[in-house]
Amino acid sequence: MPADTVSVTGWGRTAPTAARLVRPRSYEEAATAVRECGTRGGIARGLGRAYGDAAQNAGGAVFDMTGLDRIHAIDVGGGTVLCDAGVSLHRLMEVLLPLGWFVPVTPGTRYVTVGGAIGADIHGKNHHGSGSFARHVLSFELLTADGEIRTVAQGEPLFDATAGGMGLTGVILTATVRLQPVETALMSVDTERAVDLDDLMARLTATDHLHRYSVAWIDLLARGATMGRSVLTRGDHAPLNALPPRARRQPLAFRTSRLPAPPAFVPEGLLGRTTVGLFNELWYRKAPRARTGELQRIPTFFHPLDGVPHWNRVYGRGGFVQYQFVVGHGQEETLRRIVGRISHHRCPSFLAVLKRFGEGDPGWLSFPMPGWTLALDIPANLPGLGAFLDGLDEEVAGAGGRVYLAKDARLRPELLATMYPRLDAFRSLRRDLDPRGVFTSDLSRRLGL
């Protein structure tokens, strides 16, 4: 079984650590890798899109699961797929869209594996109506620390511990996922500007239920009367009769495009306050005041950054932190204060989005809860960033909110129990299931998971 000692990092490229990278090509090899991972344990890894240190394991083993990538069965009539955990959402879209089906939930990149989607319990632009990914998983096969392969179904404690459990209950081998029917591979998209944060929240509250997907890009450098000005985008899968005649010839064709990758080393400071401020100004002003029914390809609507390979390089050698938090409905003033603090601190973030979450999900460490979630990218070398984000963490925790572990690389462990009230149940199940601590990661050591 191939194994190399390599430097492993998250998508944010902030805290690389050395680990033995093992690449199983069968379930038997995966079981062998778990048995032989050594005293520092091991953790499963997919396509490396967790921003922080969740799929790293300093001095131990990292199981690269992308070699297990078979699609075993598709129920075209019933709308389910059985596949290996190493299958990417991109591959599922390639195979399923021509059959009239789409993945139930997708984040801002389609280059995540099904196993990673369950382990991080990913969410997308449709959480307000569809919930997170694990809500659509009927069952999965889990390789546990004792070498046993267990079939785990929705509603079982092990299911709820694994959904959002960051790979710490075992290695997911296969999953059966319920799909979303579609008539075309195009989206019908409405776009409008919001003049400030209050205007944006009012528009989302009033109309979110009318659309399957909604998201707002937010200008976090805007201050004063325009603080929180935004571009709100909402969409639905376009029906066949909405397509022009030429597009109806191949309505389910999945087409993508790619731009050249940024250079391996981008000069530090390229994304500073001045350049990001200019970008934000142009991005806001070029957006239509109101436009309805624009037809967009699925990659354009869901995954615009996937068209730029290695886009994370634009932050330079120092990398970047993606900070995402959620606060509940009724905590709008907390959200206003945090947006105001980010704006006052002049955080140069051009990738900042605000969404509304719907009903919470059953995963014990699942991130979403009913309320407002804000995600932003910040260059890691911004002076005073650590102390600033620590202050935001405290405000989020004080409001009953939480940060997203799949994107975290720096949360202080003493805040974790406040943010995740089912933490004790998760730790107890882990102790019973994995008393030797076979499954471990840099994240789990840092936070005491």
Side-chain angles (χ1 to χ4, degrees), residues 132-140 151-160 163 176-178 362:
S132 62
F133 191 87
R135 190 182 298 186
H136 305 271
V137 176
L138 303 179
S139 64
F140 52 77
T151 300
V152 186
Q154 264 194 12
E156 298 179 16
L158 185 52
F159 188 104
D160 294 342
T176 301
V177 183
R178 187 188 309 112

Side-chain angles (χ1 to χ4, degrees), residues 286-301:
K286 87 174 190 65
R289 294 184 183 276
R291 180 176 61 201
T292 60
E294 180 190 15
L295 292 177
Q296 293 183 4
R297 294 178 180 176
I298 278 174
T300 302
F301 180 75

Side-chain angles (χ1 to χ4, degrees), residues 338-357:
I338 291 177
V339 170
R341 290 177 66 175
I342 295 170
S343 173
H344 180 75
H345 197 74
R346 308 299 288 160
C347 290
S349 177
F350 74 97
L351 296 175
V353 296
L354 182 75
K355 297 192 289 277
R356 284 179 80 238
F357 279 158

Side-chain angles (χ1 to χ4, degrees), residues 150-295:
R150 309 184 186 206
T151 300
V152 186
Q154 264 194 12
E156 298 179 16
L158 185 52
F159 188 104
D160 294 342
T162 303
M166 307 311 298
L168 296 172
T169 60
V171 178
I172 300 170
L173 298 176
T174 69
T176 301
V177 183
R178 187 188 309 112
L179 304 170
Q180 167 68 36
V182 295
E183 294 182 17
T184 74
L186 294 173
M187 304 297 297
S188 176
V189 181
D190 298 346
T191 306
E192 60 190 80
R193 292 188 208 167
V195 298
D196 59 23
L197 182 61
D198 286 339
D199 183 29
L200 173 63
M201 290 193 291
R203 291 170 188 254
L204 283 168
T205 301
T207 61
D208 243 10
H209 65 284
L210 300 177
H211 300 270
R212 182 175 293 275
Y213 304 97
S214 64
V215 66
W217 169 87
I218 182 169
D219 182 359
L220 291 176
L221 286 175
R223 293 189 284 185
T226 63
M227 186 188 80
R229 66 178 181 176
S230 311
V231 178
L232 174 58
T233 306
R234 292 172 288 200
D236 295 279
H237 294 283
L240 185 61
N241 60 16
L243 271 57
R246 186 173 182 178
R248 296 182 195 180
R249 298 173 190 170
Q250 292 182 304
L252 291 166
F254 181 52
R255 297 186 175 93
T256 64
S257 60
R258 290 171 77 82
L259 298 173
F265 301 109
V266 175
E268 298 295 333
L270 179 65
L271 295 181
R273 294 179 174 115
T274 300
T275 53
V276 172
L278 178 61
F279 171 87
N280 286 1
E281 182 71 26
L282 293 174
W283 191 259
Y284 180 78
R285 294 196 175 277
K286 87 174 190 65
R289 294 184 183 276
R291 180 176 61 201
T292 60
E294 180 190 15
L295 292 177

